[in-house]
Amino acid sequence: MKRLLILGGTGDAANLIERAGQLPGLTVIASLAGRTPKPNIPRSGLVRIGGFGGVAGLIDYLRREQVDLLVDATHPFATQISDHAARAAAVVGIPRLMLRRPQWEVQPGDHWLPATDSSGAAALLPGLGRRIFLTVGRQPLPAFAHLQQLWFLMRMITPPAGDAPTPPGQILLDQGPFTLTNEQALLTEHRIEVLVSKNSGGGAAYAKIHAARELGLPVVMISRPPLPTGEMVSDVEGSLNWIARNQL
Ligand code: NAP
């Protein structure tokens, strides 16, 4: 039996955990950060929840649990865990794969303004509109907190910490997938003038981009941060092929 650790937190990770769990000769351990109140936990197999304690903690874990293979299927903006995974796998000497869904590409009718990070996105906003739909999660909110003259509809899964600086506006706790109809209604109801999004890719969060296109709204699109070097695939099938090749 080989032991596979899958670092999760995405829809693709949940699918991969399910599919890999059905492969013979493989024990799958799913790892989640434990940030969401209703995590997508696999129906069978082993699940661990919470941080490892940095690179050193992950190295200890990989050795203690005798992990043979590692798939990093975390979110494209979860840079710290991907960096830790790359460093720990190299120290322990096990194969590591990154699963990253393709990023969204600009379509005819889109009006995207690229930003390299949250601060860059915040700097663009005053010239674009007063009512902003901010869909970047809770962690980047402080980067927008100084924009007191604007109003923000801030959608996220878990609320920010009570003492975290946040911009003026309304917090909306919700989790995808979202539909085009609902996103258009939300943008219209709140008289949104600008959308801010990370380039997360995938289908579950794309309806807001489509809705902004339909309504002719500008989108401040935060580009993906760089990834560690290493083998990478863009879908679950590619991951299963990699697992099969490395299981031998
Ligand atoms: P991050 O900044 O890269 O990671 C922060 C710390 O959280 C890591 O150092 C690690 O703690 C722990 N961690 C992260 N993912 C983990 C996992 N799968 N299993 C065990 N520990 C994990 O990550 P983040 O941006 O806070 O995201 C947290 C989780 O939410 C990730 O699993 C990611 O896939 C998911 N997610 C993130 C975003 C986003 O926009 N960032 C969006 C959707 C989902 P230790 O150092 O203690 O090991």
Side-chain angles (χ1 to χ4, degrees), residues 7-10 31-33 35 48 50-54 74-75 77-81 84 139 198:
L7 301 175
T10 61
S31 176
L32 302 172
R35 300 279 160 75
R48 63 162 305 287
F52 296 95
T74 59
H75 191 269
F77 283 79
T79 51
Q80 188 165 300
I81 187 68
H84 291 182
Q139 292 181 78
K198 294 172 173 173

Side-chain angles (χ1 to χ4, degrees), residues 15 25 43 50 62 77 85 122 125 131 140 142 145 178 189-190 201 205 210:
N15 290 339
R43 278 170 296 196
L62 295 173
F77 283 79
L125 291 178
R131 297 181 68 84
F178 302 103
E189 177 194 342
H190 292 278
H210 191 175

